[in-house]
Amino acid sequence: MRNSNRLRFTKAGRAKYISHLDLMRTFQRAFLRAGIEITHTEGFNPHAFVSIPLPLSVGFSSQCEVLEFELRRGAELSEVPGRMNAVLPEGITVQKCYEAVKPVKALTYVNYIVTLEYENGAPFGAETAIRDLLSRESLVVLKKSKKAKSGQVEVDLIPLIAKFTVEGRRDTIALDLIIRAQNPGLNPELIVSAIREHCPEASPDYVAFHRKDVLDAQFQPWE
Amino acid sequence: MNRSLERILPRVQKPARYTGGEYNAVVKDRRKVEVRYALCFPDTYEIGMSNLGVRILYGVMNNLPWCWCERVFAPWGDMEEEMRAEGLPLYGLESGDSIADFDLIGFSLGYEMAYTNVLNMLDLAGLPVRAEERHELSPIIVAGGTCAFNPEPLAPFVDIFSLGEGEDVSVELLELYRKAKGEGWEKEEFLQAAAQIPGLYVPSLYDISYHEDGTVAAITPRDGAPEVVTKRIVQDFNKSYFPVKTIVPSTEITQDKVTLEVFRGCIRGCRFCQAGYAYRPVRSRDPELLVKYGIEACKDSGYQEMTLSSLSTSDYRHLLKLCDGLLEWCEPEKVSLALPSLRADNFSMNLMHRLQHGKKSGLTFAPEAGTQRLRDAINKNVTEEEILQSCRTAFSGGWSSVKLYFMLGLPTETDEDVLGIADLAEKVYQAWRETTPEPRRGVRITVSTSFFVPKPHTAFQWEGQISMEEYQRRVKLLRDNMRGRSISYNWHDPDTSVLEAVFARGDRRVADVIEEAWRNGAKFDSWSEYFDFQRWQDAFASCGLSMDFYAARRRDKDEILPWDMISTGVRKAFLWREREQCYQNKITPDCRKQCTGCGADKLYPGGECDAE
Ligand code: SF4
């Protein structure tokens, strides 16, 4: 089955904690509530067929989530955002609905804003330490893996980070990262663990992760 | 969202339970409401959100423009730990505000093993657990639900118990509170006035004295409180609130579907069943109305599953009409319809056949007892032939798994009755062999036994529970006689059933034990992850009370029972007569065949029990 329509939506506030699976269920029900008919799966328990190409970790916010579906009847593409927003839970907002332009495999990079928060102010030198760390030739960390015997595999983060900037403020350090989306992708949590491990003095008290954009191989918005 | 909550959530399991913000959650302006109510369910979000009563009361209270009702569930251990470490008090899911500042906090009590969670939630809110240590008009602690029919084990913690169906009396209580708040009443003044509202029991207005042997000597009301508080019912079930527009959780819950409540009460009168007596008389909804509610609720929620709910769905007079009406809409919309608690009769089986569309999920029967003699004694009016005939119908239709539920330790049970369970399972197996079109697929017959718990307001409220050792002997007897690879046998662990028996018929002194066990870490006692029987044994020992006195002791006819100030509308003399009928193995006809004068019709002036 192929889906040719896409929704771009925001996931923020209380909705950040909805898991990937629950989010798909939420959308399936929301389509029904909105009276918008989309393609269904076959079988005993037919349900609306939707997919989300890049699952977002629980607790992350995002302004660029994409859901794929196939509109059958009940609405024009342009009406979909308004109809859906009336029936979605707090924190999920559909920005636009469009015909897919590029295939999922063209989705190459994700732009994340990772905000490191420090209760007693950002430590002196932390910003530089982080910048130096991310500028290394290679930065190998251990990552949990179900496939590996030891339960862990080694990953070099550097080749997976395409661009980054580090900007210190009084209580926070903001990392603007453009990292690989898939095959293999990089979870920005690994970057934060690397900071905790290699620059312990720069360890934040709390971290907020935000997805800002999804990009193709030429760093152009992926739609 | 609260900042400390944001910090905690990434560290806990299933954080979506703790955020609120679901579709249809009611958010009001806190400055524009006069009364704030925290509707608490003393278990997890997934279980509490599956409770229809919670959804009804939430809707009823939020329909009052001046009242804002929010939901609160028991945080799981990891969340509790984080909340305590961060100093984040228990909050309402809608606003995130601490419930200690709310006007009323109401608990829904569905099962006894949740009692420690009530204390734990009060403590997490930062409130003293004992009512006498809370002096202000706010918050008032209210409790309702099935367990409130014996309120005594929680009496020292709760200010007001609400008995029976809460739709009307909750509004009356809120109106009184609104007035009290506006006029600046003292808590005591408010409680005395609340005690005058029918259906509300204010335990602090009752003095209980005890005989030397530990039984109750007298129950003495003070300050004009009524001698007996009678439960409330909804008079016109067709007009009563149904939550068409209801919260759709953003995370999966236990009952993730539309629940259509078809009728209240039960015509049957099984002698062990508290719900069967306590929810009398039967009042049903019109099928047309139910069809309309079902369709609207599905459309509004986007649910694709609907289930009918009641104590005994087969007894609904218009079941066929209702199912036809629903299926006409459900089938093209691909919404599935489930009918739980069907009786083992032919009519029901045929109906089920139609609903399942080739999807052959398990079949469930609850004969409760293994012999006809004992089934008669407990007034479970189902015959062996009915069960076997239903099984044959099912097996020949392609079903290949059956679950059979029984109780061990029912009054008058003998070893013959216990062995009768194995016999019946064997006959079900034979029925499968004779009728299945697919003998190679095999069959799964699961027999489960639970440990009988005598409940207040039933014909067995005077009975002793058999000892744990005796229960285990009967389990072993049954296990040794259960043959055949296709039959598997599960039995319920007895520890929690003994405690349930204690709480179900406990008096006010049991409150000390609950508090002691909770202070030693008891919570989520219905979850094996948390339950620790030793902790409870220690708590009884340190309070100088005996479990046997409450669970195992047989009461005399004339004994004052701790819950005698509470009436479900069913007369005590009627229950005693039912008990005597049990000992003579005599059945009592159901309400549809013949009224046997239980007294519940008096709750229903001008109405008729189980009207067409
Ligand atoms: S009054 Fe009669 S018909 Fe009504 S519930 Fe009691 S026994 Fe049944």
Side-chain angles (χ1 to χ4, degrees):
Chain A
M1 197 176 306
R2 259 191 57 236
N3 284 325
S4 64
N5 302 124
R6 287 185 184 145
L7 280 182
R8 185 177 160 119
F9 64 97
T10 303
K11 188 170 182 253
R14 310 202 210 201
K16 279 195 300 193
Y17 302 97
I18 302 176
S19 71
H20 174 63
L21 229 80
D22 286 335
L23 186 65
M24 299 219 285
R25 224 185 327 255
T26 296
F27 268 103
Q28 286 161 356
R29 287 180 185 150
F31 276 114
L32 288 164
R33 298 199 280 261
I36 299 173
E37 198 179 315
I38 69 171
T39 305
H40 278 67
T41 58
E42 304 294 326
F44 280 151
N45 261 327
H47 56 266
F49 185 71
V50 298
S51 63
I52 296 174
L54 275 192
L56 186 70
S57 298
V58 172
F60 288 21
S61 58
S62 171
Q63 62 192 74
C64 59
E65 289 310 282
V66 172
L67 175 117
E68 298 191 300
F69 68 104
E70 179 88 31
L71 190 62
R72 297 238 343 236
R73 58 185 147 247
E76 297 292 322
L77 280 185
S78 59
E79 295 173 58
V80 172
R83 299 259 296 268
M84 290 297 277
N85 288 337
V87 295
L88 278 164
E90 188 183 320
I92 301 177
T93 318
V94 176
Q95 303 153 10
K96 62 178 188 173
C97 178
Y98 54 93
E99 295 278 355
V101 181
K102 291 180 187 148
V104 171
K105 67 176 194 307
L107 200 174
T108 317
Y109 298 107
V110 186
N111 180 195
Y112 279 102
I113 306 295
V114 177
T115 312
L116 313 177
E117 301 181 9
Y118 302 88
E119 258 158 28
N120 305 315
F124 182 73
E127 188 185 334
T128 317
I130 294 170
R131 197 174 291 124
D132 291 347
L133 182 73
L134 299 183
S135 306
R136 286 189 189 178
E137 287 288 297
S138 122
L139 177 55
V140 176
V141 296
L142 286 175
K143 179 183 154 189
K144 274 190 207 141
S145 158
K146 283 185 194 122
K147 284 181 207 142
K149 246 195 205 142
S150 61
Q152 286 181 321
V153 286
E154 288 190 341
V155 191
D156 188 353
L157 302 185
I158 299 300
L160 303 175
I161 304 174
K163 298 178 185 177
F164 72 88
T165 63
V166 182
E167 195 194 328
R169 297 209 187 85
R170 203 159 58 99
D171 298 327
T172 60
I173 295 175
L175 314 180
D176 189 333
L177 307 162
I178 294 180
I179 59 182
R180 291 286 307 194
Q182 50 182 352
N183 305 321
L186 173 59
N187 187 325
E189 274 173 323
L190 279 182
I191 296 177
V192 176
S193 337
I195 293 172
R196 289 188 200 279
E197 190 188 327
H198 295 278
C199 323
E201 70 290 347
S203 285
D205 297 308
Y206 178 71
V207 190
F209 296 90
H210 178 73
R211 233 185 223 178
K212 199 174 161 200
D213 215 347
V214 279
L215 308 167
D216 65 11
Q218 285 73 46
F219 301 103
Q220 295 307 306
W222 175 85
E223 287 204 331
Chain B
M1 229 165 135
N2 179 303
R3 221 175 137 65
S4 29
L5 183 59
E6 286 234 33
R7 293 189 169 201
I8 290 174
L9 287 180
R11 295 197 290 260
V12 301
Q13 296 286 311
K14 305 188 186 174
R17 311 164 146 175
Y18 306 116
T19 60
E22 308 92 324
Y23 178 64
N24 275 343
V26 177
V27 175
K28 298 193 180 185
D29 184 342
R30 52 167 78 70
R31 291 159 309 177
K32 287 193 182 130
V33 292
E34 293 165 61
V35 179
R36 294 187 66 180
Y37 193 104
L39 181 55
C40 300
F41 192 90
D43 210 316
T44 61
Y45 176 89
E46 289 80 357
I47 295 181
M49 280 308 295
S50 302
N51 184 284
L52 184 61
V54 167
R55 289 174 180 271
I56 292 174
L57 290 179
Y58 184 79
V60 166
M61 291 197 259
N62 278 322
N63 275 348
L64 304 170
W66 43 268
C67 171
W68 187 9
C69 170
E70 302 187 36
R71 297 157 299 146
V72 187
F73 302 95
W76 194 247
D78 59 343
M79 182 63 175
E80 175 182 342
E81 221 172 276
E82 296 281 355
M83 287 170 72
R84 289 192 190 272
E86 188 79 17
L88 178 70
L90 195 62
Y91 56 91
L93 280 186
E94 281 71 4
S95 66
D97 295 340
S98 160
I99 62 166
D101 303 324
F102 281 36
D103 296 300
L104 300 111
I105 298 177
F107 286 92
S108 166
L109 305 173
Y111 30 93
E112 292 84 358
M113 301 312 284
Y115 286 174
T116 46
N117 273 8
V118 173
L119 273 64
N120 204 40
M121 288 171 78
L122 289 174
D123 185 61
L124 271 168
L127 295 166
V129 295
R130 296 246 164 195
E132 63 196 14
E133 290 169 31
R134 299 184 303 259
H135 307 289
E136 307 299 319
L137 180 63
S138 86
I140 294 286
I141 310 301
V142 187
T146 313
C147 290
F149 288 120
N150 176 21
E152 292 306 280
L154 289 185
F157 312 117
V158 172
D159 296 306
I160 302 174
F161 286 94
S162 169
L163 301 165
E165 297 165 7
E167 285 96 333
D168 300 335
V169 70
S170 302
V171 175
E172 291 162 32
L173 176 65
L174 287 170
E175 277 165 350
L176 181 72
Y177 186 89
R178 186 190 191 196
K179 180 166 185 245
K181 191 179 178 184
E183 295 175 6
W185 295 8
E186 298 286 317
K187 178 178 180 180
E188 194 52 35
E189 199 180 348
F190 171 71
L191 290 180
Q192 287 178 20
Q196 299 304 319
I197 296 179
L200 296 184
Y201 167 64
V202 178
S204 58
L205 300 182
Y206 294 75
D207 292 323
I208 315 291
S209 58
Y210 300 90
H211 290 299
E212 221 151 83
D213 66 3
T215 58
V216 174
I219 300 172
T220 320
R222 286 188 286 111
D223 300 314
E227 221 145 274
V228 171
V229 182
T230 304
K231 76 150 192 246
R232 292 287 291 269
I233 62 166
V234 165
Q235 296 286 327
D236 187 344
F237 195 41
N238 276 325
K239 295 214 178 85
S240 81
Y241 174 83
F242 176 82
V244 168
K245 236 183 135 45
T246 185
I247 294 173
V248 183
S250 304
T251 178
E252 201 171 11
I253 58 169
T254 317
Q255 293 279 332
D256 221 354
K257 51 182 104 167
V258 167
T259 305
L260 269 187
E261 197 185 10
V262 176
F263 63 85
R264 292 210 176 141
C266 182
I267 60 167
R268 296 281 161 182
C270 297
R271 294 185 176 125
F272 56 84
C273 180
Q274 189 183 33
Y277 288 118
Y279 295 126
R280 285 179 179 213
V282 167
R283 289 142 296 145
S284 54
R285 276 199 175 108
D286 287 342
E288 294 82 11
L289 189 62
L290 285 165
V291 171
K292 182 173 148 268
Y293 282 162
I295 296 173
E296 280 174 10
C298 279
K299 280 188 179 163
D300 184 79
S301 61
Y303 277 133
Q304 286 190 286
E305 245 182 292
M306 199 189 307
T307 183
L308 302 186
S309 113
S310 68
L311 291 170
S312 170
T313 311
S314 307
D315 290 330
Y316 181 53
R317 291 183 198 263
H318 314 289
L319 189 56
L320 207 57
K321 190 168 174 197
L322 173 62
C323 289
D324 283 342
L326 287 172
L327 286 173
E328 197 184 314
W329 182 82
C330 288
E331 282 180 344
E333 296 291 325
K334 304 201 168 35
V335 170
S336 69
L337 177 63
L339 296 189
S341 49
L342 283 182
R343 283 177 68 78
D345 57 25
N346 254 333
F347 164 75
S348 307
M349 288 312 304
N350 290 336
L351 195 61
M352 194 139 138
H353 231 115
R354 264 189 55 205
L355 292 182
Q356 302 258 336
H357 305 293
K359 198 170 101 186
K360 305 269 187 306
S361 51
L363 202 61
T364 305
F365 296 118
E368 311 291 4
T371 60
Q372 199 57 47
R373 202 275 313 153
L374 187 52
R375 281 194 296 273
D376 288 348
I378 62 172
N379 209 38
K380 179 84 195 181
N381 293 324
V382 61
T383 65
E384 181 172 294
E385 192 38 42
E386 280 173 321
I387 296 166
L388 294 178
Q389 188 50 44
S390 302
C391 287
R392 282 185 210 113
T393 316
F395 292 144
S396 55
W399 262 275
S400 57
S401 117
V402 183
K403 287 192 180 120
L404 300 168
Y405 288 98
F406 300 90
M407 282 189 263
L408 287 180
L410 285 162
T412 77
E413 183 179 71
T414 63
D415 284 358
E416 198 187 326
D417 299 310
V418 176
L419 295 172
I421 295 174
D423 244 28
L424 184 56
E426 177 62 27
K427 284 178 184 157
V428 170
Y429 176 71
Q430 291 303 336
W432 172 78
R433 289 198 38 180
E434 287 156 21
T435 50
T436 180
E438 299 166 280
R440 283 157 150 233
R441 260 184 76 196
V443 64
R444 276 211 341 266
I445 298 166
T446 313
V447 172
S448 301
T449 61
S450 63
F451 186 1
F452 169 63
V453 175
K455 293 276 171 134
H457 304 283
T458 68
F460 295 154
Q461 63 176 351
W462 295 274
E463 298 300 316
Q465 187 184 42
I466 61 171
S467 70
M468 221 185 267
E469 294 71 36
E470 176 57 17
Y471 170 76
Q472 269 151 344
R473 187 191 68 81
R474 293 185 198 182
V475 167
K476 185 170 182 305
L477 178 68
L478 184 51
R479 201 179 53 196
D480 293 346
N481 284 279
M482 203 75 87
R483 279 182 216 96
R485 276 185 302 135
S486 303
I487 304 174
S488 61
Y489 174 40
N490 309 318
W491 59 94
H492 199 279
D493 194 53
D495 298 356
T496 49
S497 304
V498 172
L499 269 180
E500 206 183 308
V502 171
F503 298 148
R505 293 184 299 165
D507 55 31
R508 241 172 233 206
R509 296 170 305 175
V510 170
D512 294 343
V513 180
I514 295 173
E515 185 175 347
E516 172 75 11
W518 165 70
R519 291 206 183 275
N520 290 323
K523 61 184 168 199
F524 282 111
D525 286 298
S526 54
W527 295 79
S528 56
E529 294 91 318
Y530 284 102
F531 183 72
D532 177 357
F533 194 57
Q534 188 59 48
R535 181 155 50 206
W536 284 100
Q537 286 175 312
D538 296 346
F540 273 94
S542 70
C543 295
L545 290 173
S546 125
M547 287 200 202
D548 280 354
F549 176 81
Y550 296 103
R553 186 174 61 90
R554 175 180 283 203
R555 280 75 166 163
D556 288 335
K557 185 182 179 191
D558 305 320
E559 185 173 328
I560 296 177
L561 302 171
W563 53 92
D564 271 354
M565 77 293 266
I566 305 295
S567 167
T568 62
V570 175
R571 289 174 302 113
K572 201 174 175 183
F574 174 85
L575 294 175
W576 182 263
R577 198 174 76 211
E578 282 297 297
R579 177 187 180 274
E580 299 205 306
Q581 295 276 92
C582 161
Y583 280 90
Q584 292 164 28
N585 304 325
K586 278 200 189 136
I587 61 168
T588 297
D590 66 56
C591 296
R592 200 163 285 171
K593 278 204 194 91
Q594 185 198 331
C595 170
T596 43
C598 77
D601 52 340
K602 304 244 172 9
L603 297 169
Y604 202 27
E608 187 190 325
C609 295
D610 186 36
E612 287 278 345

